[in-house]
Amino acid sequence: MIRLHNVERSYPLGRGQLFYVLRDIDLDISQGDFVSVMGPSGAGKSTLLHILGMHDHGWTGEYFFDETATHHLKAKERASLRNEKIGFVFQQYHLLDDLTVYENLDIPLSYRHYSKSERTALVGDALDRFQIVGKKDLYPRQLSGGQQQLVGVARAIIAQPKLLLADEPTGNLHSSQGEEIMKLFRKLNEEGMTIVQVTHSEKNASYGKRIVQLRDGWIV
Amino acid sequence: MIREIRFAFRRLARSPGFVVIAVVTLALAIGASTAVLSLVNALLIRPLPYGAPQQLVLLLQHFKSQNLERIPVSPPEFVDYESRAQDFDKMGAFGFLDFNLASGDKPERIAGAQVTANVFPLLGVTPIKGRFFEPTECQVGRDDVIIISERLWQRKFNRDPRILGTKLLLDGKSFTIVGIMPARFDFPLQLFNLGAGGQFGGRADIWQPLAFTDKALSLRSYRSYSIVGRLKPGISLAHAQAEIETINGQMRIEHKDNYPPADSFGGDVYPFQELAVAGMRPTLLILLGAVALVLLIACANLTTMLLARAAAHEREMAIRVALGAGPLRLLRQVLTESVILALLGGVAGVLLAIWGVDLLKSIGAQTVPRLREVNLDLRVLIITFAVSVGTGIVFGLVPGLASANPELTESLKEGGRSSTMGKSRNRLRNAIVIAEVALALVLLTSAGLLMKSFVRLQKVNPGFDSHHVLTAEVSLPKLKYPDDKAIVRFSDEAQRRIAALPGIQAVGLTTILPLAGSNSDSSFAIEGRTNDRNAPSPDEEKREVSPDYFRAIGTPLIRGRFFTQADNADAPLVIIVNQAFAKKFWPNEDAVGKRVVMGGMSPDPKWITIVGIVGDIRHAALDVEPKPEMYVPFAQDPYKSMIFAVRGAQDPRPLASAIRSHIQSIDPSLPLANIRTFDAVIAESVAPRRLSVVLLGVVLLATVGIYGVMSFLVVQRTHEIGVRMALGAQRADVMRLVIGRALQLIAIGTAIGLLMALFSMRALQALLYHVSAVDLPTFFFVTFVLALVALAASYLPAQRAMRADPMVALSHNT
Ligand SMILES: Nc1ncnc2c1ncn2[C@@H]1O[C@H](COP(=O)(O)OP(=O)(O)O)[C@@H](O)[C@H]1O
Ligand SMILES: [Mg+2]
């Protein structure tokens, strides 16, 4: 489903020098895979995930998504591809503070072509499925960290993406809360969702099917 | 506390960008307020530079039926008042008089005054050298003494300590210097230049005793002097006024022929200070209101910025509380920070104000009385200090209270993002923005209305064409030019020589120039109209002009003819009137050919024939409708002071030195004074109004403030925008969100602002010219501009936030 070839990401260091965050990345991820990206801090894991999630386009190389050469797409086309196929879970949840749980879940749908009734149905499904119906009118800061991340995951998959990307989704959670998220991920994967997660924990990685190790920008 | 201050400085140093914006915002607002405060202080509050000025009054007269107000007093009337009034400790008369001072090969015109012996003592001042005038020196023949100013002493005599007793040649006559007045002494103030007496002259540098001739003492119509007096302690203004009215009544009975029997004639006692400031008060109060609004806006700006900072620091605050800090401590911490900011702004503001005061002075030119006295004194500095501290507390209070009660559990919640902006805080910030928009709208509207007035005024047709016209004054000394013939010989020769210069189209001469601040009038009678003995005879403005005067200033001839060289002293008397005059007295007839006589009707009247009608001229001010005017040939009624008006083909300024040397080739002892373009004369006449245009600068501050705050609000949302983009928002979605919010705030703000403006603009009415206080186009325009600014302020940062990849926005920490 995903093929990266010779992907490189660098930042200018000044005086014409470049600092390489990712070097010569070749990576294949097939449909239904569950990959854990691991490596020390600063290795480039988040950078890689942002590239996969098309949040970044300051990189070089080739990135095929379902045979689409995304490196040839215009920003707008890339954004619409992203909207259609990808969901993202953040370490810091990034829920919108001024919106209720319900409204937070509705946001991705509001940016896509869903009718009013579809939106209501989808949000309702998600609330049921993640068992947060009782929290739908609360604001994020009225939830525990684990509950917030639960909403974060629900929001990431509500628009039914094919690929779920998660950058240290349990990094800010207790281990028990983290476990729940991991079980949820496994369940999603079993239902056919392709998942790429970044994690520091061997235990979390064990929920996945394979591990990609990053070190100083290189896959080892 | 010291520690607290040190911490505050350290915290501020951590966000230099914020400090710079905050200090600049405050400096501009405090600077503007300080400049205006020093203006108000010097012009409205600070007492006049005389001893116990509250007891000083001016006494002037009026003829209500002729619409004459604040007119000067004649010598015999002064004697009546002085000898009879009991309420006055002392009373003195004074008049303006300019002197030609012979000095080397370049004679100089020096502004001065004549004063009776009482004037200096009653003002409660002392000379720095020498003495005042003795009463005996106020007699004809013994009045050859003068007092000079410290400024003149410095400039002409290099502070020569043996100055007293030195003789000075003024207008060809020798005077002995008997005293020196300190440099800051200023009398008479320019605004008392009521009678004829030249254009707005400089500050008096020479004083001469006022000695009335026997003839002058017999002429009740020779109104040339103003009276200054000091009331006895405990005497009220009303009491003095009543006494003056009694004396006026006696004068009417004793001199039936001189006064209309109706009580349309009278004298008025004005508080000196009041008369000195009255004209400036509306402008100053409006400026004061404007800077108060600007200060409020600056406070609102800083409150929003500090609120945002408080949100960013909420976690830090929560940690402090967890460590045991009470809410008061936290409040103190925030207030220390805000007061430090305000004081920094205050210091920068004072520096700005020093420059601002200079600017105000140059704008106000010399037509605004006492403007030279404006400075930043201790009183203004103390008020500025208080305002700064007060400002700091005002804008620190709300954020301080917000920080002092952090929502502990949430802020400290593990993993909770540091910036959790509460709904209520958002509402508060929105309310502040709305208030700010409303205030700015009021300011913008006032500035808009004033600007429109100013522009309208510039477009007013004054009745003449001032471009390419140079004006200059000459005053002939009595000794050398004892009679009319000598004066006319000089004026003819001067005009002839100037006209011969290359590039000159016309040379005219007048005794009184429009918009230059002086005026003169005369009563007259019309042939064939029997005047009701009880009604006052008509009285209208009158000037003496040369044949080419109207051509020189570009005033059109409507009917009849201009004067010619043939209209001289030997020819039949002629007169030209303006349209307003013709219309007033001959509404349905042709005025040309009609005859009038100056003064009252007499058994053997000297008839003067109207030979022409010219266009109306706005004489008193651009915003005052033209009045009826009479022009007589200078040659038939010469006067020692004359103003040349020279029209050049191009900019006539380069001709000034040639004109001067031509005048001096006729008489080397004659100085040419007040050489200015006619354009400059007009510009000066609207100087007080220009002060109100300073509002524009102030408004700019307000607009920048709005821009700052609105864009700040959007920058605050950079992170949110990033999240939304990552979740699939398109540019249009984000723009709709951001601009929608901005529009909402602006709509509410402008609605409130428009209401406020509607009610407050009446205060402006006095300063408006042909613009309604509820001028809809201005209101629309201003609203439009404000909306545009606010939209730009939202659009640009939103644009920036979206141009970056979501990755960048997501890592943006608010
Ligand atoms: N905007 C940037 N400019 C320069 N360097 C950056 C930028 N963003 C990330 N980096 C660097 O890239 C490297 C990899 O970052 P990241 O992908 O976040 O690492 P991690 O594996 O911990 O998620 C780090 O050394 C980081 O300093
Ligand atoms: Mg990372």
Side-chain angles (χ1 to χ4, degrees):
Chain A
M1 182 169 84
I2 286 174
R3 195 155 56 84
L4 298 187
H5 180 59
N6 192 23
V7 166
E8 303 206 314
R9 177 66 162 110
S10 60
Y11 290 100
L13 265 184
R15 273 181 283 119
Q17 296 220 316
L18 290 180
F19 169 60
Y20 280 93
V21 178
L22 290 177
R23 292 307 295 258
D24 193 18
I25 300 293
D26 288 321
L27 183 62
D28 280 283
I29 298 169
S30 44
Q31 181 93 42
D33 207 347
F34 185 170
V35 181
S36 299
V37 180
M38 299 189 75
S41 207
K45 305 180 296 288
S46 298
T47 309
L48 176 61
L49 222 61
H50 279 300
I51 291 174
L52 288 175
M54 302 178 200
H55 289 162
D56 180 22
H57 60 270
W59 46 272
T60 59
E62 297 176 338
Y63 173 4
F64 294 94
F65 192 109
D66 280 348
E67 308 313 317
T68 311
T70 69
H71 44 282
H72 290 316
L73 294 182
K74 293 190 192 110
K76 212 163 184 164
E77 295 164 336
R78 200 160 30 213
S80 77
L81 181 65
R82 178 184 68 205
N83 278 358
E84 193 185 336
K85 312 275 175 149
I86 304 175
F88 213 107
V89 177
F90 306 93
Q91 177 178 356
Q92 301 90 343
Y93 329 141
H94 287 324
L95 300 182
L96 293 180
D97 299 321
D98 295 337
L99 305 185
T100 61
V101 166
Y102 186 99
E103 290 162 339
N104 262 293
L105 291 181
D106 186 46
I107 283 220
L109 303 179
S110 75
Y111 294 143
R112 292 165 172 83
H113 300 288
Y114 288 95
S115 70
K116 191 92 192 157
S117 56
E118 282 173 321
R119 277 162 62 176
T120 319
L122 282 172
V123 174
D125 282 354
L127 289 170
D128 279 345
R129 180 157 173 214
F130 288 84
Q131 296 172 356
I132 43 178
V133 180
K135 314 248 183 290
K136 73 179 170 60
D137 292 324
L138 296 183
Y139 288 96
R141 66 204 140 86
Q142 295 168 303
L143 302 177
S144 75
Q147 290 166 332
Q148 290 193 39
Q149 191 59 302
L150 212 55
V151 177
V153 175
R155 189 180 62 177
I157 61 160
I158 194 154
Q160 299 158 315
K162 284 179 69 178
L163 172 65
L164 178 65
L165 300 173
D167 191 353
E168 297 188 46
T170 63
N172 284 337
L173 300 179
H174 293 305
S175 51
S176 63
Q177 291 173 327
E179 232 179 279
E180 271 195 38
I181 299 290
M182 280 304 115
K183 284 181 185 152
L184 179 60
F185 274 24
R186 185 158 60 194
K187 194 161 154 250
L188 288 170
N189 182 242
E190 283 163 5
E191 291 167 14
M193 177 92 70
T194 310
I195 298 178
V196 180
Q197 70 163 342
V198 169
T199 180
H200 281 297
S201 120
E202 296 285 346
K203 190 163 172 252
N204 284 354
S206 69
Y207 285 86
K209 292 179 175 163
R210 67 183 176 113
I211 294 175
V212 170
Q213 285 283 353
L214 266 183
R215 210 167 299 258
D216 296 332
W218 301 86
I219 291 183
V220 293
Chain B
M1 196 63 207
I2 300 281
R3 235 165 53 110
E4 198 79 75
I5 293 173
R6 219 177 43 231
F7 282 162
F9 268 112
R10 201 183 299 161
R11 258 192 319 274
L12 288 174
R14 252 190 287 145
S15 29
F18 164 75
V19 172
V20 167
I21 294 178
V23 169
V24 168
T25 308
L26 284 165
L28 291 174
I30 294 180
S33 336
T34 307
V36 169
L37 263 180
S38 49
L39 210 58
V40 171
N41 179 40
L43 301 187
L44 292 189
I45 299 171
R46 202 190 284 164
L48 293 166
Y50 311 118
Q54 318 78 298
Q55 292 293 105
L56 290 178
V57 295
L58 285 185
L59 172 50
L60 297 165
Q61 296 182 330
H62 65 250
F63 280 87
K64 286 249 167 62
S65 54
Q66 280 146 298
N67 262 330
L68 299 173
E69 238 194 301
R70 291 196 203 166
I71 54 170
V73 177
S74 69
E77 286 168 337
F78 166 63
V79 172
D80 283 351
Y81 287 130
E82 194 189 20
S83 58
R84 296 181 195 184
Q86 297 298 314
D87 284 356
F88 290 76
D89 180 32
K90 283 195 181 73
M91 204 184 260
F94 64 92
F96 288 80
L97 188 64
D98 285 354
F99 301 93
N100 293 330
L101 172 66
S103 66
D105 53 346
K106 210 174 164 214
E108 214 184 317
R109 172 94 161 266
I110 297 196
Q114 290 177 300
V115 297
T116 57
N118 264 344
V119 169
F120 282 111
L122 80 77
L123 289 176
V125 290
T126 43
I128 52 172
K129 241 179 176 347
R131 60 173 178 87
F132 292 145
F133 300 130
E134 302 291 340
T136 49
E137 284 166 340
C138 290
Q139 289 170 15
V140 181
R142 308 182 59 176
D143 57 348
D144 55 348
V145 288
I146 50 167
I147 293 173
I148 66 171
S149 71
E150 188 180 2
R151 293 181 299 274
L152 193 67
W153 181 38
Q154 164 90 45
R155 193 159 63 80
K156 285 277 151 200
F157 304 97
N158 210 4
R159 302 188 90 88
D160 180 356
R162 290 157 308 166
I163 183 78
L164 297 181
T166 307
K167 296 209 184 315
L168 217 52
L169 206 59
L170 299 175
D171 294 318
K173 239 182 100 184
S174 169
F175 289 84
T176 307
I177 299 175
V178 298
I180 297 180
M181 290 306 291
R184 67 181 295 264
F185 176 71
D186 192 0
F187 185 90
L189 297 182
Q190 269 313 303
L191 69 160
F192 306 140
N193 194 351
L194 300 165
Q199 309 183 19
F200 295 105
R203 213 167 162 176
D205 279 320
I206 297 180
W207 295 269
Q208 194 197 329
L210 175 52
F212 297 122
T213 59
D214 288 343
K215 184 167 178 240
L217 283 171
S218 69
L219 288 176
R220 282 195 175 258
S221 56
Y222 185 61
R223 300 204 153 74
S224 300
Y225 302 99
S226 307
I227 298 178
V228 58
R230 177 177 289 283
L231 298 181
K232 283 183 180 155
I235 295 292
S236 72
L237 200 67
H239 198 275
Q241 177 67 43
E243 183 178 38
I244 292 300
E245 272 162 25
T246 311
I247 299 174
N248 284 334
Q250 296 164 352
M251 294 194 311
R252 273 203 302 269
I253 294 168
E254 292 161 24
H255 306 275
K256 285 208 173 55
D257 293 346
N258 293 98
Y259 303 104
D263 55 357
S264 100
F265 160 78
D268 302 296
V269 182
Y270 298 91
F272 202 141
Q273 176 103 18
E274 180 57 32
L275 211 56
V277 303
M280 286 308 294
R281 186 169 285 139
T283 307
L284 286 179
L285 291 184
I286 281 165
L287 274 182
L288 206 58
V291 293
L293 286 188
V294 165
L295 259 185
L296 272 180
I297 290 179
C299 279
N301 261 338
L302 287 204
T303 305
T304 12
M305 284 199 265
L306 280 181
L307 269 179
R309 253 170 80 84
H313 291 177
E314 188 158 31
R315 200 185 167 111
E316 179 200 325
M317 291 294 188
I319 292 170
R320 281 168 192 273
V321 173
L323 294 177
L328 269 181
R329 277 291 299 270
L330 294 184
L331 180 60
R332 201 167 80 189
Q333 178 186 327
V334 175
L335 282 184
T336 309
E337 213 173 300
S338 66
V339 170
I340 286 177
L341 280 177
L343 286 177
L344 287 178
V347 170
V350 167
L351 296 180
L352 272 181
I354 292 174
W355 172 76
V357 163
D358 282 345
L359 188 74
L360 286 177
K361 280 185 181 176
S362 67
I363 290 176
Q366 28 176 332
T367 29
V368 176
R370 299 186 74 199
L371 197 59
R372 334 182 169 78
E373 294 174 32
V374 176
N375 61 4
L376 290 175
D377 64 4
L378 193 62
R379 183 184 350 216
V380 170
L381 287 180
I382 289 174
I383 296 180
T384 301
F385 179 77
V387 165
S388 302
V389 174
T391 311
I393 291 176
V394 166
F395 72 71
L397 203 57
V398 173
L401 288 175
S403 313
N405 297 305
E407 295 177 56
L408 261 197
T409 45
E410 277 133 43
S411 302
L412 289 179
K413 188 178 290 168
E414 194 186 353
R417 277 199 339 105
S418 55
S419 155
T420 55
M421 187 66 67
K423 267 231 147 133
S424 67
R425 190 170 299 171
N426 253 340
R427 249 199 306 271
L428 177 63
R429 234 162 59 173
N430 289 345
I432 293 172
V433 172
I434 288 171
E436 199 168 340
V437 169
L439 291 179
L441 194 94
V442 173
L443 267 182
L444 271 170
T445 316
S446 1
L449 291 175
L450 287 175
M451 263 323 272
K452 197 162 176 180
S453 299
F454 197 68
V455 169
R456 288 257 157 101
L457 206 56
Q458 303 289 305
K459 286 199 186 134
V460 157
N461 175 10
F464 52 86
D465 172 15
S466 62
H467 298 306
H468 296 173
V469 176
L470 195 70
T471 68
E473 278 183 61
V474 170
S475 183
L476 305 177
K478 189 99 185 143
L479 217 61
K480 214 163 174 182
Y481 301 88
D483 54 20
D484 289 358
K485 269 212 174 63
I487 294 175
V488 171
R489 206 177 311 125
F490 168 83
S491 70
D492 280 352
E493 183 63 15
Q495 287 180 82
R496 198 181 58 77
R497 293 202 190 188
I498 296 170
L501 284 170
I504 282 186
Q505 293 182 338
V507 180
L509 180 156
T510 179
T511 48
I512 291 179
L513 198 65
L515 300 177
S518 59
N519 213 344
S520 164
D521 58 83
S522 172
S523 59
F524 60 93
I526 298 170
E527 184 180 24
R529 300 202 183 165
T530 44
N531 214 335
D532 179 357
R533 182 66 196 87
N534 285 328
S537 50
D539 184 299
E540 300 297 349
E541 324 255 293
K542 173 180 168 243
R543 307 89 185 62
E544 294 75 32
V545 302
S546 70
D548 261 356
Y549 173 67
F550 294 112
R551 264 187 288 274
I553 67 166
T555 293
L557 181 71
I558 307 297
R559 285 190 45 74
R561 64 168 175 93
F562 283 145
F563 297 137
T564 67
Q565 290 299 335
D567 295 316
N568 57 26
D570 307 322
L573 297 179
V574 289
I575 190 170
I576 290 175
V577 298
N578 69 355
Q579 286 176 291
F581 189 102
K583 203 164 160 203
K584 176 166 176 186
F585 295 101
W586 291 278
N588 303 313
E589 280 174 272
D590 186 1
V592 175
K594 299 286 190 296
R595 301 205 299 176
V596 298
V597 61
M598 287 298 144
M601 195 63 82
S602 66
D604 175 25
K606 280 198 210 156
W607 290 115
I608 312 178
T609 309
I610 298 177
V611 294
I613 299 175
V614 291
D616 292 341
I617 285 179
R618 291 185 183 236
H619 185 92
L622 282 182
D623 55 359
V624 174
E625 290 298 314
K627 296 227 169 76
E629 285 183 306
M630 306 181 274
Y631 300 90
V632 301
F634 185 81
Q636 294 184 346
D637 190 3
Y639 183 67
K640 69 179 176 80
S641 286
M642 59 198 81
I643 302 163
F644 292 98
V646 181
R647 172 172 296 280
Q650 280 131 26
D651 182 359
R653 272 173 297 188
L655 294 170
S657 63
I659 293 175
R660 178 184 282 123
S661 64
H662 272 290
I663 296 286
Q664 265 153 36
S665 72
I666 304 173
D667 181 345
S669 72
L670 273 187
L672 205 56
N674 279 333
I675 305 176
R676 305 181 292 177
T677 61
F678 208 172
D679 285 333
V681 174
I682 296 181
E684 196 131 294
S685 78
V686 292
R689 208 174 258 283
R690 276 216 304 266
L691 272 186
S692 61
V693 176
V694 171
L695 256 187
L696 265 199
V698 169
V699 159
L700 214 66
L701 296 187
T703 323
V704 170
I706 295 280
Y707 185 94
V709 118
M710 297 293 288
S711 62
F712 196 75
L713 284 187
V714 178
V715 170
Q716 289 293 307
R717 302 181 77 175
T718 302
H719 177 264
E720 181 196 332
I721 291 173
V723 174
R724 286 179 184 269
M725 298 279 286
L727 294 176
Q730 305 282 317
R731 297 175 53 85
D733 297 314
V734 174
M735 278 304 175
R736 207 175 306 128
L737 181 79
V738 169
I739 300 219
R741 172 69 60 83
L743 275 182
Q744 224 175 6
L745 296 181
I746 295 166
I748 303 175
T750 41
I752 297 174
L754 281 177
L755 272 179
M756 281 163 58
L758 269 181
F759 287 105
S760 57
M761 285 311 122
R762 306 215 172 283
L764 271 185
Q765 195 75 59
L767 293 182
L768 298 183
Y769 177 75
H770 282 210
V771 175
S772 151
V774 286
D775 184 59
L776 283 184
T778 304
F779 276 51
F780 279 130
F781 178 73
V782 158
T783 312
F784 179 72
V785 166
L786 204 55
L788 218 59
V789 166
L791 284 183
S794 315
Y795 179 81
L796 296 178
Q799 177 87 345
R800 213 171 312 124
M802 283 185 304
R803 201 172 302 131
D805 278 319
M807 184 177 76
V808 176
L810 283 174
S811 62
H812 186 280
N813 269 319
T814 45

